[in-house]
Amino acid sequence: MPGHMAMRDVLPMSWSDEAAGPMVGGVALAELAAEHGTPLYVVDEEHLRARFTDFRKAFGADTQLAYAAKAFFCVALAEMLAGEGWWVDAVSEGEIKTALEGRMAPSRILFHGNYKTDAELGMALDEGVGRIIVDDPSEIGRIKAADRSVAVLLRLNLDVAADTHPHIRTTGADVHFGMSVDAADAAIAAAVDGPVNLRGVHVHIGSQIGDPHRYHDAAIAALDFIDERRQVFGDRPELDLGGGMAAPYRADDRLIALEDYADAIRSAIGDAQVRLFVEPGRRVIANAGLSLYTVGVRKEAEPPFLAVDGGISDNPRPALYGATYEAVSLSRRGEEAPFRIVGRHCETGDRITQARLPRDTGPGDLIAIPATGAYGFSMASRYNMLPRRPVVFVGDGSARVAVAGETLGDVVR
Ligand code: LLP
């Protein structure tokens, strides 16, 4: 977007403004909308590849990168991760199955979760996942009962007061993830003489973390825990600092360099002999993705409402976290005015964002909402019995359906 420098950080990197309208991955967005209908999720493969490289550069070859599947996952993405040598953080049978379907090695799956069903734990052990992230001491007993040897990280709940929305903050006494130091010691005691191979600890402080120094604090606290129990974790203990690196949603959001997160962690680790893991989701996929909608109704108000054909069902983030987004017209150019872009669901809270669009925007126009790649499709619902919408990957001038949309038949069934 000319004159809007920081908008570049929000848009997929292959976005280009052509005479025929915006393109991503060499494909006109309006053509995608015509072919697949709207709402539509579009993912820029070049952007994804660039993020894989950025993480590798910032964190270095000796850090193990694992992608958090919960942000968005599908077989096509699993295949890309397999090719890049990334691991994956999975929390369900569905996420594990998708990783395997994408030919990721089971040994590159980190199996997480504060509630692992017997079926899921059994599947993880049968497939031979790389690590189980134990969230409660009781899991040690369950693994021992299955009598399958497996490498384990202990998820610690260390209060490092992450500065983010309370719903996506994951440490502190009021949080139900991970173990206190006492509970972790109980897990360690339970693990003696058995198939559980304790490798290290896991700490995920939260998501959309705007202050890299929190990772420093988390790493220091985790390293103290490890140091006091050196004999437990072997020669090169593993330290998994989770995900949470922030992505820009609006043009005026500050873009925090990945190096700043990496440096904060490195300054805590110093020359301690640990193997570092990080598990980013959002920062990898958020800005690679965007959502296309068709405006159906314009209601005059101050500022006017534009109702689009999706909303809380394909992106619950505004309603859940007060998230806001930019908007770009695919149909018009010219002088802009503020609009309130709302969804089609029967809730006052179904408001996608407030943003500037060409003044004459109205029914039939296409708009793109950038930065919806993370936690949009993955948290989509069928609210009001709308079928879930497809995800299309674009790159090198072509498009492929990475996730098929649901049909009305699916919804009724
Ligand atoms: N590792 C663990 C253990 C996690 O719980 C999460 C996210 C991640 C990694 C990846 O975090 P990320 O890099 O994506 O921030 N639905 C919310 C976000 C929930 C995050 C849950 N855990 C949202 O839309 O903002």
Side-chain angles (χ1 to χ4, degrees), residues 68 70-71 89 112 155 168 170 202 204 206-208 242-245 249 279-283 317 321 374-375 379:
K70 67 206 79 182
D89 145 8
H112 273 272
R155 178 160 179 174
I168 50 179
T170 47
H202 177 280
H204 170 75
S207 205
Q208 191 68 357
M245 297 80 187
Y249 283 86
E279 292 169 350
R282 187 192 313 269
R283 184 65 179 255
R317 302 196 66 259
Y321 319 113
Y375 303 106
M379 295 205 296

Side-chain angles (χ1 to χ4, degrees), residues 55 66-71 89 91 112-113 133 155 164-165 167-168 170 177 202-209 215 240-246 249 278-285 315-317 320-321 323 325 374-376 378-379:
F55 267 97
Y67 171 75
K70 67 206 79 182
D89 145 8
V91 295
H112 273 272
I133 318 299
R155 178 160 179 174
T164 188
H165 191 285
H167 291 178
I168 50 179
T170 47
F177 297 110
H202 177 280
V203 179
H204 170 75
I205 55 178
S207 205
Q208 191 68 357
I209 303 295
Y215 288 87
D240 183 338
L241 286 176
M245 297 80 187
Y249 283 86
V278 287
E279 292 169 350
R282 187 192 313 269
R283 184 65 179 255
V284 176
I285 189 79
N315 182 3
R317 302 196 66 259
L320 280 172
Y321 319 113
Y325 293 85
Y375 303 106
S378 71
M379 295 205 296

Side-chain angles (χ1 to χ4, degrees), residues 98-175:
T98 302
L100 296 174
E101 193 72 23
R103 294 190 297 280
M104 293 190 77
S107 60
R108 293 186 165 179
I109 297 173
L110 304 164
F111 183 46
H112 273 272
N114 69 311
Y115 187 131
K116 302 176 179 79
T117 65
D118 289 339
E120 284 169 331
L121 198 53
M123 176 191 191
L125 293 168
D126 286 347
E127 294 291 348
V129 299
R131 304 285 181 278
I132 291 185
I133 318 299
V134 164
D135 197 84
D136 183 78
S138 60
E139 277 176 41
I140 300 281
R142 294 171 64 200
I143 296 170
K144 281 173 100 170
D147 200 24
R148 208 74 53 70
S149 97
V150 65
V152 157
L153 302 181
L154 302 176
R155 178 160 179 174
L156 301 178
N157 178 358
L158 304 169
D159 194 357
V160 290
D163 58 329
T164 188
H165 191 285
H167 291 178
I168 50 179
R169 212 183 119 165
T170 47
T171 63
D174 285 338
V175 164

Side-chain angles (χ1 to χ4, degrees), residues 382-400:
R382 290 169 167 176
Y383 187 33
N384 295 148
M385 296 188 90
L386 299 192
R388 270 179 291 229
R389 300 294 306 156
V391 183
V392 173
F393 275 29
V394 291
D396 293 329
S398 65
R400 55 179 171 141

Side-chain angles (χ1 to χ4, degrees), residues 300-307 338-342 351-355:
E300 295 311 330
E302 214 32 71
F305 292 110
L306 295 175
F339 286 95
R340 285 178 283 179
I341 302 167
V342 301
R351 296 187 171 197
I352 296 173
T353 196
Q354 176 156 337

